[in-house]
Every structure is written in structure tokens, then in C-alpha cells.
Amino acid sequence: MTSFGYTLMCEQSDPLSLVRDAVAAEEAGFGLAVMSDHFNPWLDEQGHSPNAWPTLGAVAQATSRLELMTFVTAPIARYHPAVIAQQAATVGLLSEGRFTLGLGAGENLNEHVIGEGWPPANVRHERFSEALDIINALFDGGYVNYVGDHYRVDSAKLWDLPETRVPIGVAVSGQQSIEVSAPRADVMIAVEPDPELGPAFDAATRATGPARKVGQLPICWDDDRDAAVTRAHQQFRWFAGGWKVNAELPGPAGFAGATQFVRPDDVAEQIPCGSDVAAIVEAVRPFVDAGFTDVALIQIGGDHQAPFLDAASSKILPALRSEFGDQ
């Protein structure tokens, strides 16, 4: 059984719109909403990047059934791990147990803003490992003191913890990231339907039995396919670079330069564009075949959420559930 979620994408919407979209997504029948956590948009054309955490608090209060997840937040630079732990515990309380803390090793796009440079991948993994240990220790309750190679924590305690521990999800892309993070986490997060990730994560995770596995798929729903392709190219051509490249570029101008030769047809080959429900079903299939338990859809274009959510309720979700099942 595979469940289907909705993406609250901070890079393309203001915070009030994100809250309204979350309510509409719950009404449309989505069971999960994942939220990005950026300081910058990928491209200037996206035009937004509100802070995810107060927005999540507002979403938690405006909804009643929708599960929430960060997809993902980085505890290695812009946020200290102790601050992330406090924010996550608070959202866990505000949502009454509907929140999962999704974590990753970050992108230069967002983390360089504090002026400490962008470390190489091995250092990022070291920081991420220490951050996971700190967050887990704080979730355990009591006072935490920690001295690592990258972080220190001095007599920190979370005074407001939810009764049910906030699950931790981690973004993985290969064996190295799985070895670092899976033993410290409960949920796998990935953006590519690599069939090797799930078994490797299950072998290493602390979760009891097969772990929850959450993927993400961008689409551009529009009755006018040409308009959909144009919008996807304008706002999502950065997606063509792949995550190893995307993690390194420092800002929207860098992504604009790196993708200047990406054509609209190149984007349309990777992202379902238009109103063909069958194309969305087929784009989801590799995630299902790879063992993902959840797939969160991104509708490209902040001001194009309403028609997508209407279609999701009447066409897209029924088709996906008919083909793949849904809990």
C-alpha cells in the first residue's frame, strides 16, 4: 500500500498561501503534507522563501488530520541542532503528534547565508552525524551535554516534549549517507526511486521492521499542456542538475547560469506536464516498485495550487489509489 502526500513548497508561495493550501490539501484527501525549509528559492522566478517553522505552526493549528513533515531541514549550519530539536518538539505538540522531523545535510543555497562557507561532503556528513546524536539525546529528555568535533551543547533540556516521540526522517542518496544516518533515524527520505536504497536503509535503521519511506515527485498540472511545460521550465529547470550538483550551487543566479541551456522539452521529459492523469500514475510507479510507502506530489507554480487540488480530489488521487492502494 502506498499513500500520497502534498508538498508545501516554500520557494514558490508566501506563508499565508501555504497555510491555505494545507487546509485545501486536507480537504482534497491528502493524508500527508511535506514542507521544504529554504532561505532562498532555487530560481528568481519562484519568488518566495518564508521561514518554514512558524508556517508549520500555523499549518498545525489550521489542520486536524494532515500529517506534517519537514522535507527537509538541515541541522548543520543555519540552525544549531539544539534549536532544531526545540522547534520540532514544539511543532509535535502543536500538531498533536502529526509531525515527523525530516532532516538532511543541506545545500549551499541555504546554508552559506551565515557566512561560514560551505564544507565538503565528508565534513557535512560528520556534522550531520553529530547533529542527529544531539537531537536524539534531547528527544530522550533530561539535560544534555555534548562535546563533538563540530558542535557543543551545554546543559540543554527540552522543557516541552510531546508524549509520543517525534519520529526522525533522514534524506539519503546512497550507501554513505545511509551508514551515517539510518542507525539514528526512523524514516527514509529520498527524491529518486532508487530500488537499492530501501533494503539498505532497512538493514541499518533503528526502526522496528521495514521503515517508512517517503519520496517526492514534481508535476505541473494544467489543462493547457504548453502552459504547463513553460511554467515547469521557468520554475523547475534547476531540477535537471541532480542533487550532487544542486547541493553545491550558492544562489538563484548560480542555478540560472547552470540551467541556461536546459530546454522546455528537457524538463517535460522528467516532469509530467498537462492534465494526463495516466502520466502521473506512471511517474509514481517507479517509487512504488522501489518500496516507497509515501509519495508527495509537488504542483509547480505557487498560484496554480487550486486547480491542482481540485483535480487531485476528483481525478488524481482516485487514480493513484485505484492503481497502488492507499492507507
Side-chain angles (χ1 to χ4, degrees):
M1 301 285 285
T2 302
S3 296
F4 303 99
Y6 172 73
T7 299
L8 296 161
M9 193 168 183
C10 291
E11 303 92 294
Q12 65 178 14
S13 295
D14 66 83
L16 289 173
S17 296
L18 289 165
V19 176
R20 289 194 292 266
D21 292 342
V23 173
E26 184 175 71
E27 293 173 351
F30 285 101
L32 168 69
V34 305
M35 181 177 285
S36 59
D37 183 359
H38 272 232
F39 196 90
N40 292 305
W42 299 102
L43 294 163
D44 286 348
E45 290 92 334
Q46 292 176 313
H48 295 278
S49 202
N51 188 281
W53 290 95
T55 308
L56 276 168
V59 169
Q61 289 294 284
T63 59
S64 60
R65 303 181 306 278
L66 200 63
E67 287 189 77
L68 304 174
M69 178 187 292
T70 45
F71 202 98
V72 292
T73 194
I76 70 163
R78 187 168 42 117
Y79 302 115
H80 189 281
V83 174
I84 288 285
Q86 184 189 36
Q87 291 175 150
T90 300
V91 175
L93 287 165
L94 288 170
S95 65
E96 298 182 302
R98 291 182 282 132
F99 179 63
T100 296
L101 175 60
L103 297 169
E107 298 103 5
N108 192 6
L109 175 70
N110 304 302
E111 306 310 313
H112 81 273
V113 298
I114 62 171
E116 294 187 359
W118 183 235
N122 62 314
V123 175
R124 301 199 301 264
H125 283 145
E126 291 171 9
R127 290 185 179 183
F128 192 45
S129 175
E130 290 189 12
L132 286 168
D133 287 341
I134 291 166
I135 293 167
N136 274 302
L138 287 165
F139 282 179
D140 288 340
Y143 286 95
V144 173
N145 293 282
Y146 183 92
V147 178
D149 293 331
H150 301 282
Y151 297 109
R152 294 181 65 97
V153 176
D154 182 12
S155 190
K157 176 182 175 179
L158 298 181
W159 291 89
D160 291 278
L161 280 167
E163 290 185 9
T164 302
R165 184 187 180 99
V166 174
I168 293 177
V170 288
V172 299
S173 58
Q175 190 60 40
Q176 182 181 9
S177 56
I178 287 173
E179 290 174 359
V180 167
S181 59
R184 299 171 169 88
D186 315 288
V187 178
M188 185 186 95
I189 297 169
V191 294
E192 296 181 359
D194 183 343
E196 296 182 1
L197 293 178
F201 192 91
D202 285 339
T205 183
R206 69 184 181 193
T208 302
R212 186 177 188 181
K213 301 171 182 69
V214 185
Q216 190 179 55
L217 176 71
I219 68 169
C220 197
W221 179 268
D222 199 301
D223 289 336
D224 184 338
R225 185 177 185 278
D226 290 340
V229 171
T230 297
R231 187 167 74 249
H233 178 256
Q234 288 174 341
Q235 297 197 24
F236 240 76
R237 62 187 183 275
W238 61 270
F239 195 72
W243 288 102
K244 288 187 177 181
V245 173
N246 292 344
E248 305 299 334
L249 296 176
F255 281 93
T259 58
Q260 61 183 309
F261 299 115
V262 176
R263 302 168 302 173
D265 287 347
D266 298 328
V267 176
E269 287 178 2
Q270 296 188 58
I271 296 173
C273 294
S275 57
D276 186 351
V277 175
I280 297 172
V281 170
E282 290 311 307
V284 167
R285 191 178 302 279
F287 286 94
V288 176
D289 291 345
F292 283 74
T293 59
D294 302 78
V295 180
L297 303 179
I298 304 172
Q299 163 65 348
I300 298 172
D303 55 354
H304 290 78
Q305 300 303 300
F308 164 73
L309 290 167
D310 288 343
S313 177
S314 62
K315 303 175 184 178
I316 300 170
L317 286 174
L320 290 171
R321 289 166 177 158
S322 175
E323 186 71 19
F324 304 119
D326 192 351
Q327 298 172 352

